Amino acid sequence: MNINAANKGPLIDANRWRRYQITFTTLFSKEVTRFSRIWIQTILPSAITTTLYFVIFGRLIGDRIGPMEGLAYIDFIVPGLVLMAVITNAYSNVVSSFYSSKFSRYIEELLVSPAPNWVILAGYVAGGVARGLAVGSVVLIVAAFFTRFSIHNLGVTFLILLLTAILFSLGGFINAIYANSFDDISIVPTFVLAPLTYLGGVFYSIELLPQPWQTLSLANPILYMINAFRYGLLGVSDIPLGLAFLIIAIFIAALGYYSLSLLRRGIGIKQ
Amino acid sequence: MLALSVHQLSKTYANGLQALNAVDLQVEAGDFFALLGPNGAGKSTLIGIVTSLVRKSGGRVEVFGHDLDREPEAVRANIGVVPQEFNFNLFLPAIEVVLNQAGYFGVPRKEARGRAEMLLRKLDLWDRRETEMRRLSGGMKRRLMIARALVHRPRLVILDEPTAGVDIEIRRTMWGFMREINAEGTTIILTTHYLEEAESLCRNIAIIDHGRIQSRTDIATLLSELDTETFVLNLKGRVCQLPSLGGFVLEHIDESTLEVQISREHTINGLFEALSRNGIEVLSLRNKQNRLEKLFLDRVEAGRGATP
């Protein structure tokens, strides 16, 4: 039996789109396997944290806060907590996976392959989206034990979850490209993402804020996502839905374009 | 047909280091080619550019007629690379590393499984297929990198010091394997610090130093340029007084070991005849220095003398 059968040549002549699909599937399943294997580190923490939020802010403190936008406080915080889990997990999945591949140099396995940049990006982003949605679903299940919510608009709910996960997966990818150490991959989640999420209306309606904080809050893109998701789940929002979708779409287009440009120029991955 | 054609290739790193300076190099399809050079000569940069891991500053690279700038996917699909340093996810089972690589190259999973099994069996790794990479020995990791490089059936395989740190037995097995895939038609470019390896495996050779190709020839021609060869003789008895042998320069290492220099116009038969005439019996002989090693050092020295 021929070992290499080099005379047949590689599969470059095979259907290009079929090849892209195989590469994407390989990357995606590798990512899903990775976070599933270490579910105690990737899935469980969000479930535990959210349970604590529901117990403390929902049950213990929530009754004293009173209703928010006509909803029980524990119901009001469900969308923000779900989206917070989606944002954190989509971002961390891509940033840690891609940076690890850079650090241990197995990113070279992909760089020497004929996989085009957009397929590489799509594979990592899909992995981030899968983890974001998996953890988001777990948090929703946890929420169901504490509240009795019904989904107001399933399409909007799912679309916002999906687009938010895509957006923050792209953010994680860019962070990983620039990161030179494991410290660099925790700076953005700690000092940028967490404050923006907490100030993005997870626990309050921006109508409660005095000026200029109310206006300043409008510069926070996460506010739009949380409010659009709150509309999908509960039917209430501080922000017009169309504007929220527009802003998310603009951010996705900008970060996607920038990610591809970084890959094309080999920033952080090629000398 | 040319497997690899490099024209006026240059690379200057961000820190100003010029690693390659207008390199021209051609490797014929089917060749077993050695790329030799001292550390920092530019070998890894050249390989890095050809395999898309390093961006070139100038010049052109073609692999089986596909231009790296215009058809990067075709170039990469035709190449399999075994890097100098381990570069895999240490927490994955060995077979996953090979299967993932096949997937990145667009090989369907079912087909990839068959190829992976054949390669891992051939490289004596099948029993360790479910072992995590971090638990494999250095030699096993090296062999796994070869399996990974071949799983998509590349026409050009680049081996960057594939046997570094590998024990002699495994090295011999790997040599046999490389000869086998070359005999099947795969072009191989090998860099190595073991010049015996290059002499034993390769037909053609390029010596690179200071980012320039100093010499590009076939091994037989190169070896024929040797003016003298030095052998070490282990003697049956002791020799206190060195005889004078016309055409051969003898030196004592100790009383039962001699060093002899033979110039190109003389033969080993002649040496033995002369020794026999003087009553000296030889138990064994060996080259003092690998022949290619001497030529390699000469070329590098000469190149450095010529480089401003």
Side-chain angles (χ1 to χ4, degrees):
Chain A
M1 182 195 278
N2 278 356
I3 300 168
N4 193 29
N7 51 332
K8 288 183 187 168
L11 293 176
I12 192 68
D13 297 324
N15 184 305
R16 172 177 298 217
W17 291 101
R18 169 81 176 126
R19 184 159 54 82
Y20 293 166
Q21 185 240 315
I22 292 169
T23 306
F24 172 80
T25 310
T26 305
L27 256 174
F28 177 66
S29 65
K30 179 185 75 101
E31 287 300 296
V32 172
T33 309
R34 190 191 74 88
F35 76 71
S36 307
R37 243 178 219 160
I38 48 170
W39 63 275
I40 292 178
Q41 295 169 46
T42 54
I43 310 282
L44 198 58
S46 290
I48 292 172
T49 314
T50 318
T51 305
L52 290 172
Y53 277 127
F54 282 126
V55 169
I56 296 166
F57 291 101
R59 282 277 160 83
L60 302 180
I61 301 175
D63 289 344
R64 297 181 181 208
I65 294 173
M68 188 87 62
E69 291 191 351
L71 298 163
Y73 187 66
I74 194 166
D75 292 341
F76 180 83
I77 63 173
V78 169
L81 291 178
V82 172
L83 215 60
M84 192 161 76
V86 171
I87 288 171
T88 313
N89 282 278
Y91 192 94
S92 347
N93 196 70
V94 182
V95 77
S96 62
S97 176
F98 194 79
Y99 179 70
S100 297
S101 75
K102 259 176 63 171
F103 181 78
S104 300
R105 296 183 55 183
Y106 56 87
I107 187 64
E108 292 177 3
E109 293 176 339
L110 262 172
L111 298 180
V112 301
S113 81
N117 291 334
W118 66 268
V119 173
I120 295 175
L121 182 65
Y124 274 98
V125 167
V129 168
R131 177 164 152 197
L133 294 186
V135 176
S137 306
V138 168
V139 172
L140 264 178
I141 291 166
V142 169
F145 286 102
F146 292 90
T147 68
R148 268 184 279 159
F149 65 88
S150 58
I151 296 174
H152 175 72
N153 186 323
L154 186 63
V156 171
T157 303
F158 180 72
L159 208 56
I160 289 291
L161 273 182
L162 180 69
L163 293 176
T164 304
I166 291 174
L167 174 53
F168 284 93
S169 296
L170 287 167
F173 189 84
I174 293 168
N175 187 171
I177 288 261
Y178 281 112
N180 288 316
S181 69
F182 280 99
D183 286 342
D184 293 345
I185 66 172
S186 61
I187 287 173
V188 175
T190 309
F191 296 106
V192 180
L193 276 189
L196 283 180
T197 311
Y198 283 103
L199 296 172
V202 173
F203 296 105
Y204 56 85
S205 161
I206 57 163
E207 285 176 3
L208 296 180
L209 296 176
Q211 288 296 357
W213 301 110
Q214 198 175 118
T215 309
L216 276 176
S217 291
L218 296 175
N220 179 358
I222 294 178
L223 178 82
Y224 297 83
M225 296 163 211
I226 290 177
N227 273 280
F229 188 59
R230 187 169 284 138
Y231 174 82
L233 217 53
L234 307 173
V236 294
S237 171
D238 293 338
I239 308 285
L241 196 61
L243 180 63
F245 273 112
L246 180 69
I247 286 177
I248 298 171
I250 289 171
F251 269 98
I252 288 178
L255 295 191
Y257 178 80
Y258 190 57
S259 301
L260 287 174
S261 138
L262 290 173
L263 279 173
R264 191 176 59 251
R265 288 180 287 149
I267 305 290
I269 49 175
K270 290 185 185 181
Q271 290 173 302
Chain B
M1 186 183 194
L2 289 175
L4 175 67
S5 173
V6 166
H7 180 65
Q8 293 291 296
L9 193 64
S10 57
K11 172 68 185 177
T12 306
Y13 286 103
N15 62 5
L17 174 76
Q18 188 170 33
L20 293 179
N21 186 359
V23 166
D24 286 308
L25 183 67
Q26 277 83 41
V27 178
E28 289 288 334
D31 201 354
F32 205 135
F33 190 91
L35 181 64
L36 305 182
N39 288 333
K43 301 186 297 288
S44 293
T45 300
L46 177 57
I47 289 172
I49 291 172
V50 173
T51 55
S52 302
L53 292 175
V54 176
R55 285 172 296 162
K56 61 186 168 66
S57 306
R60 208 173 65 235
V61 175
E62 283 183 10
V63 173
F64 291 102
H66 299 289
D67 185 281
L68 183 61
D69 293 326
R70 286 186 284 111
E71 304 165 90
E73 289 181 28
V75 167
R76 290 190 288 235
N78 275 292
I79 299 177
V81 61
V82 179
Q84 202 175 116
E85 288 173 34
F86 300 135
N87 64 343
F88 29 60
N89 186 342
L90 291 170
F91 297 95
L92 282 186
I95 194 157
E96 283 296 314
V97 170
V98 180
L99 291 175
N100 282 345
Q101 187 74 354
Y104 298 156
F105 278 82
V107 181
R109 197 71 164 183
K110 195 177 167 191
E111 194 176 337
R113 283 193 184 282
R115 290 193 202 175
E117 179 174 350
M118 187 267 291
L119 287 164
L120 293 181
R121 282 191 189 284
K122 193 82 189 167
L123 287 159
D124 212 13
L125 287 168
W126 181 245
D127 293 341
R128 309 302 298 269
R129 64 189 179 279
E130 297 299 340
T131 307
E132 281 186 8
M133 292 302 299
R134 64 192 165 129
R135 302 197 189 283
L136 295 182
S137 69
M140 288 176 183
K141 286 176 184 152
R142 292 249 167 243
R143 281 179 282 152
L144 192 104
M145 290 206 294
I146 294 180
R148 184 182 64 177
L150 292 174
V151 73
H152 63 283
R153 291 184 176 157
R155 294 161 77 191
L156 169 63
V157 175
I158 300 176
L159 301 146
D160 196 359
E161 299 193 26
T163 55
V166 168
D167 69 44
I168 290 174
E169 191 186 345
I170 293 174
R171 195 182 303 166
R172 298 272 168 190
T173 312
M174 286 166 76
W175 286 7
F177 187 78
M178 290 181 228
R179 281 198 187 97
E180 211 172 322
I181 59 171
N182 178 244
E184 287 173 8
T186 309
T187 311
I188 298 182
I189 297 177
L190 172 79
T191 80
T192 179
H193 276 115
Y194 303 112
L195 296 182
E196 177 201 2
E197 189 166 271
E199 186 178 342
S200 158
L201 294 171
C202 301
R203 285 187 286 280
N204 291 297
I205 185 170
I207 294 174
I208 185 170
D209 193 25
H210 283 110
R212 288 175 182 276
I213 299 292
Q214 305 291 356
S215 177
R216 165 50 172 112
T217 183
D218 61 277
I219 298 261
T221 306
L222 191 64
L223 291 176
S224 71
E225 290 176 17
L226 273 175
D227 290 328
T228 60
E229 273 194 78
T230 306
F231 293 93
V232 175
L233 309 177
N234 292 313
L235 309 179
K236 193 172 180 186
R238 292 180 171 201
V239 174
C240 300
Q241 188 73 33
L242 284 178
S244 170
L245 307 179
F248 303 102
V249 181
L250 287 177
E251 270 181 55
H252 258 134
I253 293 178
D254 57 49
E255 287 185 344
S256 56
T257 317
L258 296 181
E259 191 176 295
V260 57
Q261 256 186 41
I262 305 179
S263 57
R264 208 190 320 180
E265 57 269 21
H266 291 90
T267 63
I268 293 179
N269 297 35
L271 170 69
F272 284 138
E273 280 172 25
L275 288 170
S276 298
R277 277 199 302 274
N278 287 276
I280 299 172
E281 290 182 282
V282 178
L283 288 175
S284 63
L285 94 162
R286 63 179 167 83
N287 268 93
K288 184 186 179 188
Q289 188 181 30
N290 175 267
R291 298 181 301 165
L292 194 56
E293 190 174 317
K294 177 168 171 33
L295 282 162
F296 170 73
L297 292 171
D298 289 349
R299 291 291 169 113
V300 169
E301 285 292 312
R304 285 180 180 177
T307 307

